[in-house]
Every structure is written in C-alpha cells, then in structure tokens.
Amino acid sequence: MRRYHEERFPFPSPLRLQRELRLPRPPAWMIAALLVLLIVAAIPPVILLVQRGRISPFPRIQPLQDMANQPRYGPQAASTAFADGRAMRLPPPGTVARGRLAIDDHYFRGFAIRAQPQSGTQELHFFDGLPAQIKPDLELLERGRIAFNIACVVCHGEDGTGRGPLHVWAVQNNQARWVPPTSLLSNEVRERPDGHLYNTIRQGIRNMPPHADQLDVHDRWATVAYIRHLQATVAPGPPTSPASGE
C-alpha cells in the first residue's frame, strides 16, 4: 500500500528524498584530516591579526619595495665620493630657503643698518610706522590682542602696565632676583619707534626672551599695533616698582 501510494504521485515525498539522497558518513581519518586542515589554515590569519597590534623592533615585511629601501647615507656619515669625506653637503653660498628671502628690512627686521659716509661707520636705524604689507584695521588689532594675550600678558599684564600674573607672584613671594617688566605705557616705550618694539618682540631685550619662535612676522606687527592701541587709550604711567608689586 505504501509503495502504491508513493508511485501514484510524480514527485517523491520529502522523507523519500532525505532517505535516498543521504550521503554515507565519511571515515574517521577523513574527518580528522579536514579538522587539521582547518586549524592549519586559520593559523596565518590569527598571526597577522596579532602582529598588527604589536610593536616590533624589526622592520615590517614589504613585498613591494617601490624604492622604499635603497642604498643611502645616514646623518653625519662618511663618503668617499667627495673630497672632504662627508656625505652631508653644505648648501651653496647665498642659498635662501623658499619664502625666507627677507630682503625687506622694515617688514622682517624693523631696522636697517645704514652706512655713514662722513664717519665711515654703520648706524642702526629703526623704522617708524607699520610696513606697507601691514594693513591697519580692526582685524589687525584683534589679531594683535590675541597674540598679546598669549605671549605678553603673563609679564606685562592685560593693560600693559607690567602687572602681569608672573610679576605679581614674584613680588608676593619676595623673589629677590626678579626684574620687574617694563610698563608699555611709560613715556620711554611710547617714544620708541615701531621698529624698536618689533625688534624687541623678535629678538628680546635684556631679561625678556625672544618671541620669534612663538609669533610670526605678521603677528609681531599686529602686537605692535595693539600696544600702540593700548598707549592711545590708557594714560601714561610710571615704570613698575618691584617694592610696590605694581
């Protein structure tokens, strides 16, 4: 009866398909070999994942060199290719880095050295006024205020009178070797040319360190413009006294 029932329908039942298409169980040695192959195939990816997050003293393997590794001289190495025996070559005389020509004394230095034909000596001349490259506007004053607050406030104070946080701390702690900052509102500083103030920011003066590494050329002139703005809006004051703490 069951055979008749199965032969009546043109399509076999799922149970019949499962029974007829079932593969025989593979032998144990074949199963073990497949497991070993799977484990061996997984080892290289695991090693790569572990090595990607590990610091190694050896250089990474680079199959495609693309001229990454080639014969070269190290710093301060010797070389027989040159008469002086040095691999590092000095730049030719007169070589100037790109963008560092700095031929405008007014803009880059704030002063010029002029020869005196009568005496045959050279005289240092500070320029007065801003260079032609600097446009005096509100944007320049705002940039100068930011630069002043970063580099100058700690000693000269926000108002430029020399009562900065560092000076106040030194006076309160009786620092005998402390030299009070100069008041930027004093008549002495007011009478200095703009180039003198610029050069002071660039190279420093007396105990004041240079700020050329912290402020570029434009920011130095912006700071000079902001100092002039403070001098125009605040009345002149005497130099700071270390005894008074002001």
Side-chain angles (χ1 to χ4, degrees):
M1 186 67 179
R2 181 177 178 184
R3 181 178 180 183
Y4 173 76
H5 176 74
E6 292 178 352
E7 291 176 353
R8 284 184 58 186
F9 296 96
F11 302 102
S13 64
L15 294 177
R16 181 181 174 186
L17 282 175
Q18 182 179 5
R19 183 173 64 252
E20 294 180 356
L21 297 178
R22 180 181 298 175
L23 297 175
R25 181 181 179 86
W29 67 268
M30 185 177 294
I31 297 176
L34 289 175
L35 290 176
V36 171
L37 290 177
L38 289 176
I39 294 175
V40 172
I43 291 177
V46 172
I47 294 177
L48 291 176
L49 291 176
V50 172
Q51 292 297 328
R52 282 179 61 86
R54 179 178 298 175
I55 299 176
S56 174
F58 304 102
R60 300 293 185 185
I61 298 176
Q62 190 174 355
L64 301 177
Q65 294 293 315
D66 292 334
M67 298 181 66
N69 297 315
Q70 54 185 317
R72 68 183 188 278
Y73 288 106
Q76 307 296 334
S79 172
T80 58
F82 302 98
D84 57 4
R86 297 186 302 179
M88 297 178 63
R89 312 311 303 155
L90 295 175
T95 301
V96 179
R98 180 175 297 178
R100 300 295 182 89
L101 186 57
I103 58 175
D104 190 340
D105 289 331
H106 190 174
Y107 180 69
F108 289 100
R109 282 169 286 277
F111 67 88
I113 300 177
R114 297 177 178 177
Q116 300 296 323
Q118 296 82 4
S119 61
T121 59
Q122 293 181 338
E123 181 181 354
L124 187 66
H125 171 75
F126 288 103
F127 293 97
D128 205 359
L130 299 177
Q133 297 91 328
I134 302 299
K135 181 181 178 181
D137 53 13
L138 294 179
E139 183 179 354
L140 180 68
L141 286 180
E142 177 61 19
R143 185 61 189 175
R145 184 189 67 83
I146 295 174
F148 185 86
N149 290 339
I150 293 174
C152 310
V153 163
V154 64
C155 290
H156 293 283
E158 294 185 3
D159 55 359
T161 57
R163 293 182 286 232
L166 186 58
H167 171 71
V168 174
W169 175 88
V171 173
Q172 292 176 351
N173 290 272
N174 299 321
Q175 299 294 319
R177 301 179 59 183
W178 172 251
V179 179
T182 301
S183 173
L184 302 178
L185 307 181
S186 63
N187 291 327
E188 177 186 3
V189 178
R190 290 172 183 267
E191 294 173 357
R192 293 174 181 173
D194 292 339
H196 191 289
L197 299 182
Y198 172 88
N199 185 66
T200 300
I201 298 172
R202 172 174 170 260
Q203 294 187 337
I205 185 171
R206 293 185 290 274
N207 289 350
M208 174 182 165
H211 289 78
D213 293 337
Q214 292 80 24
L215 303 176
D216 60 14
V217 176
H218 183 271
D219 285 350
R220 295 172 212 161
W221 283 114
T223 305
V224 172
Y226 183 73
I227 292 174
R228 294 306 192 197
H229 171 73
L230 289 178
Q231 294 174 348
T233 55
V234 182
T240 303
S241 172
S244 62
E246 300 181 355

